[in-house]
């Protein structure tokens, strides 16, 4: 079996393993570098030089791919005493809508027995996924 065939098999196995075990494209980049070394194996005859070249190309491709991929979004923490305004009324135990930072958000009251009217200022207590948990401003201030 030739060196080119071995590098092609390694490249295919690494690329396929990225599909099974996602590693943020690390295995994919190692597979791509194995394909590059397979193309260059006719020029570079010694195996240890091919392995060194594969390692160098792998590291470079991984570094470049990490730079080009978008960073994962951080979970934002809602600061203390953030105020929003209800767009629709929030019935007891039911979700409604609030206006927060210029966007409409799904919201529900932290106290499931309270009713909040539309266009009422509310404090955002916390966030659960895409739902803001709110309390009426008059309840917390009074």
């Amino acid at each position: 079996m030739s060196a080119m065939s071995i590098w092609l098999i390694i490249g295919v196995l690494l690329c396929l393993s990225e599909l099974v075990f996602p590693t943020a494209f690390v295995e994919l980049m190692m597979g791509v570098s194995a394909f590059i070394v397979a193309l260059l194996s006719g020029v570079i005859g010694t195996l240890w030089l091919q392995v060194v070249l594969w390692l160098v190309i792998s590291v470079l491709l991984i570094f470049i791919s990490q730079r080009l991929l978008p960073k994962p979004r951080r979970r934002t923490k809602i600061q203390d005493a953030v105020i929003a305004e209800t767009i629709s009324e929030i019935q007891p135990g039911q979700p409604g809508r609030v206006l927060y930072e210029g966007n409409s958000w799904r919201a529900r009251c932290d106290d499931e027995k309270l009713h909040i009217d539309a266009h009422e200022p509310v404090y955002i207590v916390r966030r659960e996924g895409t739902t803001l948990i709110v309390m009426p401003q008059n309840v917390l201030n009074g």
Side-chain angles (χ1 to χ4, degrees):
M1 186 173 272
S2 70
M4 178 185 264
S5 301
I6 293 170
W7 284 112
L8 287 174
I9 292 169
I10 291 171
V12 168
L13 290 175
L14 285 168
C15 290
L16 289 176
S17 66
E18 179 68 36
L19 294 173
V20 177
F21 307 107
T23 60
F25 299 110
V26 172
E27 290 173 341
L28 179 68
M29 293 301 118
M30 291 172 70
V32 169
S33 66
F35 292 140
I36 294 170
V37 172
L39 293 174
L40 298 174
S41 65
V43 178
I44 303 169
T46 57
L47 180 63
W48 70 270
L49 250 158
Q50 292 175 9
V51 171
V52 169
L53 181 64
W54 173 70
L55 290 172
V56 169
I57 294 172
S58 294
V59 169
L60 288 174
L61 286 177
I62 291 168
F63 181 75
I64 290 169
S65 71
Q66 297 301 317
R67 291 280 186 181
L68 296 178
L69 291 174
K71 303 283 186 247
R73 297 173 73 183
R74 290 185 187 168
R75 299 190 100 183
T76 57
K77 290 185 178 178
I78 297 174
Q79 302 162 354
D80 293 339
V82 175
I83 298 176
E85 181 181 340
T86 56
I87 296 172
S88 65
E89 64 179 325
I90 300 176
Q91 297 288 336
Q94 298 295 319
R97 304 293 295 177
V98 296
L99 184 63
Y100 171 63
E101 291 185 344
N103 293 312
S104 172
W105 287 74
R106 178 184 161 120
R108 64 181 171 80
C109 186
D110 196 29
D111 184 350
E112 294 188 3
K113 298 174 190 150
L114 288 178
H115 173 271
I116 305 173
D117 292 324
H119 307 291
E120 187 174 327
V122 291
Y123 284 117
I124 299 173
V125 179
R126 66 183 179 280
R127 180 174 149 188
E128 294 177 359
T130 59
T131 302
L132 298 177
I133 309 303
V134 299
M135 283 296 287
Q137 196 175 37
N138 60 2
V139 171
L140 295 178
N141 288 340

